[in-house]
Amino acid sequence: MDNERGTLRSARAGVTNAPSDRARLPRSRRPVGEPARPGSSSPWILMYHSVAVEKEDPYQLTVSPERFAEQIAWLHRRGRRGVSVRELMRARAHGRDDKLVGLTFDDGYADFARYAVPILQAYGFTATAYVVADLLGQDNGWDTEGPRKKLLTVEEVTELAAAGWEIGSHGLGHQALPGLPADVLAVQTRESRRLLEEAVGGPVTGFCYPYGAVDAPAALAVRDAGYDYACAIAHSPLTGRFALPRCYVGDRDGAWRLRAKKGRHRLRDAVTELRRGRRIRAERAVTERRS
Ligand SMILES: [Zn+2]
């Protein structure tokens, strides 16, 4: 079947570089709502979807290659280097992330390889592509309106990973996780990770919630599936390593708007930390009263 040609399940036998006995990452035991680094604000992470020329774009997911090049040039001029979230989190663990910005591409559109990669390479930037494990080589059928866009194939994902681009999981079939039963959450997180690890021939440590939708059971499932971090969109009480907030970037975003968005990110971060502190103090007061 033509539309199955690119899927991981059908192509599993063709992936030759997947190690049979991979070392599993130790499970994190961190509480899911903990800040990415204690007492710190969230790192700045930009969220893209598609970089292409598109007349019709009802969900405003597409940035033209020209606009994308401008945005990347602007980051470069400001002394920032765009990196994958994997690299960002590693640098952050050593306090070396102040000149970095995370660059993320949701859904794994084929245009990532065609348009985004050459522009990023020209500046020595890296990025993360979060791909939908069961839909590789197919299209964005979950978006009912708007143009059908091709998704990266298994082969392209393998090649991108080999060239150093981080491949993360965006679930199995682009299903929102909140409200799903525990066994389904486990399949969405573990099975997508397993399939992608076969494709990339190494560990897959990043997850990105479809639609940015996250609740506590979803974040726990992601942590327990062995991921190192997960990307959400909005700031929330879950903001932290397993619900990293991200800043949407669209085709209208020039330098001025990007600067404003960075300021807004910092403000939301400060408010989130303030609320977290207030919540912790209230919880402590209750515990003390009980003892
Ligand atoms: Zn998505």
Side-chain angles (χ1 to χ4, degrees):
M1 259 163 68
D2 190 52
N3 66 349
E4 279 204 336
R5 200 182 298 146
T7 69
L8 266 180
R9 287 184 198 284
S10 59
R12 204 177 295 160
V15 178
T16 52
N17 60 344
S20 54
D21 189 17
R22 254 187 319 276
R24 307 301 299 185
L25 289 174
R27 271 190 194 181
S28 171
R29 285 282 145 232
R30 297 179 181 98
V32 290
E34 180 184 277
R37 199 174 61 207
S40 74
S41 54
S42 305
W44 197 37
I45 304 175
L46 304 185
M47 175 180 66
Y48 287 96
H49 285 79
S50 169
V51 178
V53 182
E54 203 80 80
K55 277 199 210 91
E56 210 195 328
D57 189 24
Y59 299 102
Q60 300 192 319
L61 298 178
T62 311
V63 176
S64 74
E66 292 72 29
R67 180 60 107 177
F68 181 69
E70 273 172 38
Q71 293 166 344
I72 296 303
W74 179 78
L75 289 172
H76 180 73
R77 276 202 309 278
R78 305 278 298 175
R80 291 244 173 192
R81 191 163 73 85
V83 292
S84 66
V85 180
R86 177 177 63 193
E87 187 176 338
L88 182 68
M89 298 304 276
R90 275 183 200 154
R92 197 168 171 76
H94 297 100
R96 285 197 234 112
D97 63 317
D98 59 327
K99 290 287 173 201
L100 303 181
V101 55
L103 299 179
T104 64
F105 295 79
D106 288 20
D107 304 337
Y109 293 107
D111 57 47
F112 173 71
R114 182 168 176 198
Y115 292 114
V117 163
I119 294 167
L120 294 171
Q121 269 173 336
Y123 290 91
F125 287 10
T126 64
T128 308
Y130 296 106
V131 305
V132 184
D134 257 355
L135 300 180
L136 297 184
Q138 300 189 33
D139 63 29
N140 58 335
W142 63 85
D143 282 337
T144 46
E145 284 174 49
R148 290 279 81 90
K149 285 168 172 283
K150 286 297 278 177
L151 301 176
L152 293 164
T153 64
V154 179
E155 293 72 23
E156 286 168 326
V157 162
T158 306
E159 278 168 26
L160 286 166
W165 303 91
E166 184 191 10
I167 300 296
S169 168
H170 202 34
L172 278 179
H174 208 277
Q175 197 178 356
L177 299 193
L180 294 179
D183 56 335
V184 181
L185 285 177
V187 171
Q188 284 284 332
T189 51
R190 285 164 198 265
E191 183 66 0
S192 62
R193 181 163 184 235
R194 194 185 65 75
L195 289 169
L196 293 176
E197 286 187 337
E198 279 188 12
V200 307
V204 168
T205 56
F207 189 86
C208 173
Y209 300 97
Y211 307 100
V214 54
D215 61 3
L220 281 169
V222 167
R223 186 196 70 177
D224 290 347
Y227 292 94
D228 182 50
Y229 75 86
C231 285
I233 300 175
H235 282 80
S236 78
L238 289 171
T239 289
R241 178 173 279 274
F242 292 99
L244 293 166
R246 290 181 300 161
C247 178
Y248 161 86
V249 185
D251 199 51
R252 294 172 59 209
D253 293 328
W256 186 87
R257 285 173 60 101
L258 283 175
R259 208 173 301 140
K261 284 186 171 188
K262 174 142 190 292
R264 201 165 59 193
H265 170 79
R266 289 282 160 254
L267 186 69
R268 283 178 179 158
D269 233 33
V271 171
T272 306
E273 280 305 304
L274 213 66
R275 285 190 183 141
R276 193 197 310 275
R278 225 181 275 158
R279 203 171 56 239
I280 291 168
R281 281 194 298 280
E283 281 163 10
R284 255 189 224 138
V286 170
T287 318
E288 276 160 22
R289 238 177 282 145
R290 278 196 195 132
S291 57

